[in-house]
Amino acid sequence: MTSSHPPSGPHGCCFGYSVNSPLPFRLLRAGHGPQLHIVEAEREPRPTSPPVLEWKVPGDDLLHVRLHRDDDSYALWIDGGGWFRVRPEVPCIEVPVGVEPLRREERIWGLPSLLCLLERGDVPLHAAAVEIDGGALLLGGPGRCGKTTLAAAFLSAGFRVLSEDVSCCRLGDPPQLFPGPAGLRVRLDAFEQLTIEGGVVAAKESHRVHLDIVPERRGSADPVPIRAILILGASEAADCTMTRVPSAAAVRALWPLSFNLPTDEDRARCFTAITEIVRAIPVFDLARPVSYNTLPRVVGELVQAFGR
Amino acid sequence: MIAPRTVLRRSPRALYRDLAEGEGGVLLHLDTAAYHGINAVGALVWSMLDGVTFSALLEKLRSELQGVPPTFEHEIGEFVENLAARDLVVLEFDAGGDDQ
């Protein structure tokens, strides 16, 4: 992947962290927060223990990911990204040397930063999020269910995209979402069908287009109250159908969107977090027509349902 | 059906969390990561599974609940057996055999 020259300028924030780094970043938002240190690694991690987690991330590219635990840090291998070392308690992320900057940044805002979010007690969910009238609406679902495409449609309609892949939720009264990276990775077929206002092409791959959200559409990194979580599904009908999910079923729906390590402590943490989310935030099944030309109508229906 | 003197205990590998009032709760098995929703009565039953016998459980529930149906014992027995089948509850059988 080749990308255009990244914009220069002061660093900003992502997921509530203020980025402290000598490296260039292009997906940040204005704001303040506790510092997240991001540096190039002086040497690659050499884990001596077997991975605590190992999996292949499905998608257009099948990524092999391995996560090792070493005392107070994690060593993380990501295909196409290299080795990362994450020290969540600091917090600090060491990144591999020589990786193309946009790909590196996109990887940083995935699992490496997610480990830091967990350490500080937040609840990351595999969901996009958009802002409607000052409230965050999460768009959750399995891979390729159309989260990013729907988020892109919101962007085109003039709404703010708060996150594309990982939504950082903080429990409280009210529960809040910390905006994530200001970018969208749109499938090539979706990009060719849609006119995405508010995004500029940063890079193109054979199957995907990487968009930077233009600065004037990013907004600040301040947290946004969460209004609802939608679990995206498909419908043959012309209109959307939204059904409130009962709490126990909502836990079941959100569990696959959450992240936990295979330890008793972490599974318990995740379980507690998900049930607290369900107690505080309404969860809906959204069955909607899945076609490019119905996207504006879907956006309109959701704005009507969740706007003030 | 569970024998009256069978001792019922929550599995140490099971976690329980309440949902909103009146909505019962959810159970998670730490080893399988399987989760199960239970209603408010089920949550009450769960709260009592601390080494109680089946007969004592029924007695406690009858004192807490109103309008108990004739099938109550069967339904509670089925519920507990279901939890045991999912390794969420441990049944300790009375070596002395069934009570009268």
Side-chain angles (χ1 to χ4, degrees):
Chain A
M1 176 176 77
T2 57
S3 61
S4 57
H5 187 72
S8 61
H11 285 326
C13 290
C14 187
F15 292 137
Y17 284 119
S18 179
V19 173
N20 180 17
S21 176
L23 303 171
F25 285 80
R26 61 192 301 149
L27 303 177
L28 304 181
R29 305 174 196 255
H32 305 280
Q35 289 193 340
L36 171 63
H37 307 276
I38 302 177
V39 297
E40 281 187 324
E42 292 180 355
R43 59 179 183 277
E44 276 190 356
R46 292 266 187 262
T48 54
S49 55
V52 296
L53 270 183
E54 184 169 9
W55 71 100
K56 292 193 189 297
V57 179
D60 298 311
D61 305 315
L62 198 64
L63 295 180
H64 187 200
V65 180
R66 297 199 310 271
L67 181 67
H68 301 255
R69 179 78 200 221
D70 290 319
D71 294 328
D72 63 346
S73 71
Y74 293 92
L76 173 66
W77 168 264
I78 304 175
D79 273 0
W83 280 105
F84 294 74
R85 181 174 292 285
V86 184
R87 289 182 285 152
E89 293 176 15
V90 177
C92 177
I93 299 173
E94 294 175 20
V95 301
V97 175
V99 177
E100 190 279 321
L102 178 58
R103 182 183 290 280
R104 177 181 63 207
E105 182 172 359
E106 289 175 346
R107 294 278 182 256
I108 286 170
W109 303 127
L111 193 48
S113 60
L114 188 150
L115 292 168
C116 299
L117 302 180
L118 292 173
E119 175 66 27
R120 78 178 185 194
D122 290 330
V123 186
L125 293 177
H126 182 44
V130 297
E131 182 177 356
I132 302 173
D133 291 342
L137 182 65
L138 273 66
L139 312 171
R144 303 184 73 84
C145 74
K147 300 187 292 294
T148 301
T149 304
L150 183 53
F154 270 94
L155 182 68
S156 289
F159 295 90
R160 192 157 75 112
V161 172
L162 301 173
S163 64
E164 177 230 8
D165 188 50
V166 173
S167 284
C168 174
C169 305
R170 176 165 295 179
L171 296 166
D173 186 17
Q176 296 181 312
L177 179 138
F178 283 91
L184 289 167
R185 292 166 295 180
V186 184
R187 291 203 321 267
L188 184 61
D189 57 339
F191 179 77
E192 289 171 344
Q193 294 285 333
L194 302 171
T195 302
I196 302 177
E197 302 284 347
V200 293
V201 175
K204 266 188 176 178
E205 294 178 275
S206 58
H207 55 278
R208 189 158 49 186
V209 178
H210 300 250
L211 301 174
D212 289 354
I213 296 175
V214 297
E216 59 269 27
R217 297 288 306 278
R218 296 187 180 194
S220 80
D222 292 343
V224 181
I226 300 174
R227 204 157 281 158
I229 299 174
L230 302 184
I231 306 298
L232 302 185
S235 170
E236 299 292 329
D239 296 320
C240 296
T241 307
M242 220 157 28
T243 312
R244 180 77 185 258
V245 181
S247 296
V251 172
R252 182 183 298 273
L254 293 184
W255 183 263
L257 306 185
S258 66
F259 178 81
N260 62 87
L261 296 171
T263 64
D264 286 356
E265 183 184 356
D266 208 58
R267 278 195 172 144
R269 172 206 57 78
C270 186
F271 187 48
T272 299
I274 294 296
T275 52
E276 287 187 23
I277 281 184
V278 163
R279 287 168 66 115
I281 304 170
V283 179
F284 297 88
D285 275 329
L286 174 68
R288 89 274 190 214
V290 182
S291 66
Y292 295 117
N293 58 7
T294 57
L295 276 169
R297 179 148 39 98
V298 172
V299 169
E301 290 192 41
L302 294 179
V303 170
Q304 194 167 24
F306 293 103
R308 293 256 180 246
Chain B
M1 178 48 76
I2 301 175
R5 284 167 48 160
T6 302
V7 175
L8 315 174
R9 289 185 201 283
R10 293 183 285 271
S11 166
R13 304 304 295 157
L15 291 180
Y16 172 80
R17 294 292 180 268
D18 276 319
L19 294 172
E21 191 171 340
E23 290 193 321
V26 281
L27 290 160
L28 175 76
H29 196 290
L30 285 168
D31 296 329
T32 63
Y35 35 79
H36 316 272
I38 56 177
N39 62 19
V41 173
L44 181 62
V45 172
W46 179 261
S47 71
M48 295 177 176
L49 299 181
D50 53 358
V52 67
T53 64
F54 185 57
S55 58
L57 172 68
L58 293 175
E59 196 175 321
K60 279 188 176 185
L61 289 170
R62 284 194 175 98
S63 71
E64 295 267 350
L65 299 172
Q66 295 180 354
V68 167
T71 54
F72 178 70
E73 181 175 337
H74 174 77
E75 289 178 20
I76 297 300
E78 208 170 59
F79 175 72
V80 173
E81 283 178 325
N82 201 335
L83 294 179
R86 297 165 191 255
D87 294 326
L88 295 165
V89 164
V90 177
L91 306 184
E92 296 170 7
F93 298 101
D94 176 26
D98 287 349
D99 206 344
Q100 69 280 359

